[in-house]
Amino acid sequence: MAAQRGQRNGVGDTPPAPTAAEITTPIPRVAEVPAARDRARAIPEAAVARLAVYLRVLSGMQEQGAGTVSSEELAVAAGVNSAKLRKDLSYIGSYGTRGVGYEVVVLIEEIERILGLTRKHSVAVVGIGNLGHALANYGGFPGRGFPVTALFDVDPDLVGVPVGGIPVDHIDDIPRVCAEREVSIGVIATPPPAAQAVCDRLVEAGVQCILNFAPVVLQVPDHVEVRKVDLAVELQVLSFHVARRADDAAQGDGVAGMGPDLQVNGMVVS
Amino acid sequence: MAAQRGQRNGVGDTPPAPTAAEITTPIPRVAEVPAARDRARAIPEAAVARLAVYLRVLSGMQEQGAGTVSSEELAVAAGVNSAKLRKDLSYIGSYGTRGVGYEVVVLIEEIERILGLTRKHSVAVVGIGNLGHALANYGGFPGRGFPVTALFDVDPDLVGVPVGGIPVDHIDDIPRVCAEREVSIGVIATPPPAAQAVCDRLVEAGVQCILNFAPVVLQVPDHVEVRKVDLAVELQVLSFHVARRADDAAQGDGVAGMGPDLQVNGMVVS
DNA sequence: CCAACTTTGTGCACACGTTCACAAGCGGTA
DNA sequence: TACCGCTTGTGAACGTGTGCACAAAGTTGG
């Protein structure tokens, strides 16, 4: 996935050099806060998403009492190449020990810090239909750190009714309620026609991050970050692969039989 | 976003040249079916996802009685660059008229054909909790073409109960039921610990495409296509952006005040 | 203290995707 | 028919992300 956003202007004009303090580094553990900040800006989006995956895998390992992991172990558990994993981790700093691996606790701490999980992020869900209901009932959202603190809908029958312990407010109250409860992430689970209007109100209320489940391309000012989860697109992409597969089978038939073509690379699957 | 998959081996060893029949092209409208097949294999994943978006936008335009669209119009409606849009469309063929634009109907037809939407794809939902319930109730799934024909759960209290018009079966019946109803797409909405086992059964049942909502890295044989929708990851990526933004504000403070930095590029927002 | 082994961190090359810029082609007009 | 303006389709440059391969660095055993 790839998130669409409202026209990000050319980021090509970044500062020419990273102060060169990066290379010299007289003492091993310098570059405390400021360098970390500089690095944070350079982490590719895809790597950020993977860091979140690593974090979950690491949490699982921690619960099972693992003290350290090698990049190889962590990589197979996360379903990625070990080189990629190491590169991803290098974006946030050098917290591994050569010849040994990474300390699970340290890695968890650092990833959480980079992802901003040390702070709680209030979540508001707008649109309490099937999906909104499900989201609200997650209660505390994935793995805590993202408490759902506000619910909104237009339906007067729903307003006031508590869902998952939180009373539903009317969408007209978005600005007030979001401000009061310091909502930092808005989740849009409304029907398509309502999505843009809801989005506008969230933005107006100062919400800077939006997770959009409505199959609509949202227009937002470019200081707002939008991520989209689009069920229809996911299914259609899968459909494409079904079709491609069917075509391949129909076409490359007379050549090598109908069996799957041989696998050269060693599968890492256990 | 990027979908993880079970190690795709180097596609670098593709046929050396596309038969060179591509370049010469004596007659304008040759390259009927076979070329379309060859092309289909070359469409980048990201482009496929966007084609699905274009399709939705086009459907909306068709309903409003539009006969033709220019790449520019369609691009802004889909929230992308017009050059990118044209390149994406070029992957599926040349169906535009220079100086005019694209015929909406034709484009819809062609995109549907490429995405394999001319055929119906039965969907099975496994795990009828909050989310599974919501998915089952969509009834016919996004925009039809993806009828939900089977539901599964372990809970004996749910088995036999109809949800959204379809009775829930026990997950032990996955192979039989999936075969009977010719399920081609499996949706996993179970708790994390059950996901891999469920996935294995789906694969065993011959399902080749899986949409995974469970926060787990699935291991599948490489003829199976997996797409992942991970709520936790989405939120954590947003959290990262909040943090980055906070850092920026705290750091680049003394320079240009606290207002948003000026926007150079012309916003396309209406 | 040294040598052998292990694993990280990263420079480099490659591949993929995006963007630019323009020739090719079509419709409208005189 | 010839010209003009407009929009497509695409070759080529560019930027980003991925994967390889190896030096750097640490640990363990003698």
Side-chain angles (χ1 to χ4, degrees), chain A residues 1-2 37 41 52 56 115 121 141 208 215 227 230 234-236 239-241 245 247-248 263, chain B residues 1-2 37 41 45 52 56 115 121 141 208 215 222 227 230 234-236 239-241 245 247-248:
Chain A
M1 95 157 282
R37 291 284 151 75
R41 200 165 301 134
R56 178 162 48 229
L115 294 183
H121 299 273
F141 251 86
Q208 301 215 329
R227 286 188 74 87
D230 195 322
E234 297 300 329
L235 286 173
Q236 287 173 8
S239 168
F240 168 78
H241 287 290
R245 201 159 280 143
D247 286 2
D248 284 3
Q263 297 161 4
Chain B
M1 191 169 356
R37 291 283 152 76
R41 201 164 303 135
E45 187 99 353
R56 178 164 45 228
L115 294 184
H121 300 273
F141 251 85
Q208 300 215 332
D222 56 0
R227 286 188 72 88
D230 195 322
E234 297 300 330
L235 287 173
Q236 287 173 7
S239 168
F240 168 78
H241 287 290
R245 199 159 283 142
D247 286 0
D248 284 3

Side-chain angles (χ1 to χ4, degrees), chain A residues 48-49 52 55-56 114-117 119-125 135 138 140-148 184-188 209-213 225 227-229, chain B residues 1 229-243:
Chain A
V48 174
L55 180 58
R56 178 162 48 229
I114 288 287
L115 294 183
L117 303 179
R119 176 189 176 306
K120 284 216 183 306
H121 299 273
S122 278
V123 174
V125 177
L135 295 175
Y138 266 135
F141 251 86
R144 95 198 103 274
F146 295 93
V148 176
S184 56
I185 298 178
V187 177
I188 298 179
C209 292
I210 290 176
L211 182 54
N212 179 30
F213 284 89
E225 192 73 27
R227 286 188 74 87
K228 194 172 145 192
V229 175
Chain B
M1 191 169 356
V229 175
D230 195 322
L231 231 49
V233 169
E234 297 300 330
L235 287 173
Q236 287 173 7
V237 171
L238 286 176
S239 168
F240 168 78
H241 287 290
V242 175

Side-chain angles (χ1 to χ4, degrees), chain B residues 149-171:
Chain B
T149 56
L151 303 177
F152 300 98
D153 205 298
V154 261
D155 187 349
D157 291 346
L158 258 79
V159 173
V161 178
V163 175
I166 297 155
V168 177
D169 284 302
H170 192 270
I171 57 168

Side-chain angles (χ1 to χ4, degrees), chain B residues 140-254:
Chain B
F141 251 85
R144 93 198 103 274
F146 296 93
V148 176
T149 56
L151 303 177
F152 300 98
D153 205 298
V154 261
D155 187 349
D157 291 346
L158 258 79
V159 173
V161 178
V163 175
I166 297 155
V168 177
D169 284 302
H170 192 270
I171 57 168
D172 288 340
D173 293 330
I174 285 178
R176 182 177 57 76
V177 176
C178 284
E180 277 176 18
R181 304 182 195 169
E182 293 179 321
V183 168
S184 55
I185 298 178
V187 177
I188 298 179
T190 65
Q196 183 63 58
V198 163
C199 174
D200 291 344
R201 295 205 200 183
L202 286 170
V203 170
E204 185 192 331
V207 174
Q208 300 215 332
C209 291
I210 290 176
L211 182 54
N212 179 30
F213 284 89
V216 172
V217 181
L218 293 178
Q219 303 288 11
V220 294
D222 56 0
H223 64 89
V224 176
E225 192 73 27
V226 176
R227 286 188 72 88
K228 193 172 147 193
V229 175
D230 195 322
L231 231 49
V233 169
E234 297 300 330
L235 287 173
Q236 287 173 7
V237 171
L238 286 176
S239 168
F240 168 78
H241 287 290
V242 175
R244 192 175 61 80
R245 199 159 283 142
D247 286 0
D248 284 3
Q251 199 178 40
D253 208 3

